[in-house]
Amino acid sequence: MSFFRSSLACGLTALAAAFAPVAQAQPTTYAYSVALTLAAPKGSAAEAASKNKTLPAGIKFSPCDATALDQFAFTIKYDAGKAAVGTTPGTLQNVYVIFHRDGSFVFPLVRSPLITTGAIFKVYVAPGNIQTTDAYTAVSDNLGGAQTEVILGGNLTLHGLDSGVWLVTAIIAPAATVNFDDPRTWSAWDTLPFMLRKPWKGFTNSYCE
């Protein structure tokens, strides 16, 4: 009798295994990434300031004192997904680059094909006003995979900008759901600070000469 019970149990176990649902591989989440770096070009006021131990060392700084050109070079490294291939769906998302000074306007850098407007800075009073189409690299212009670019192709002169601490922020996000007031809607992001002349704007010497 015990042999019968043992055989029956083995049979039921095998039967259950035969009809059990096959475990499905779970889709993997794409590893979006973005990183910003800032360099003081050789011969710039910022390069000279970096050698002066009496000036700020904890942040990239340019003195804006008209002794030399105030310039920085901004580099962005990003992976905003890949294009669709055959039956494999694409994972591309927009890349946004936004300049901002606290208490001031926000300036998204918008690149378009050269046949239209090239690259322009738009201006908004608050991040929530930025349009989802204000992309630095839109899905339609993204080759996919890891990309490294010097923003606007070279050293950027800073003269005319307000004094104070600035931020440049890069965001990877889908245009359909991005909310610039809610980082939970961003797939990846990075922020880099830099300072012009002094820590605030003030009422005098309030811009980079």
Side-chain angles (χ1 to χ4, degrees), residues 39 41 71-75 136 149-158:
Q71 290 187 340
F72 286 134
F74 300 88
T75 299
Y136 171 77
E149 301 172 3
V150 177
I151 293 176
L152 291 179
N155 305 331
L156 300 185
T157 300
L158 308 166

Side-chain angles (χ1 to χ4, degrees), residues 27-47:
T28 56
T29 302
Y30 192 84
Y32 296 98
S33 63
V34 62
L36 292 162
T37 55
L38 187 159
K42 187 173 180 59
S44 68
E47 184 202 30

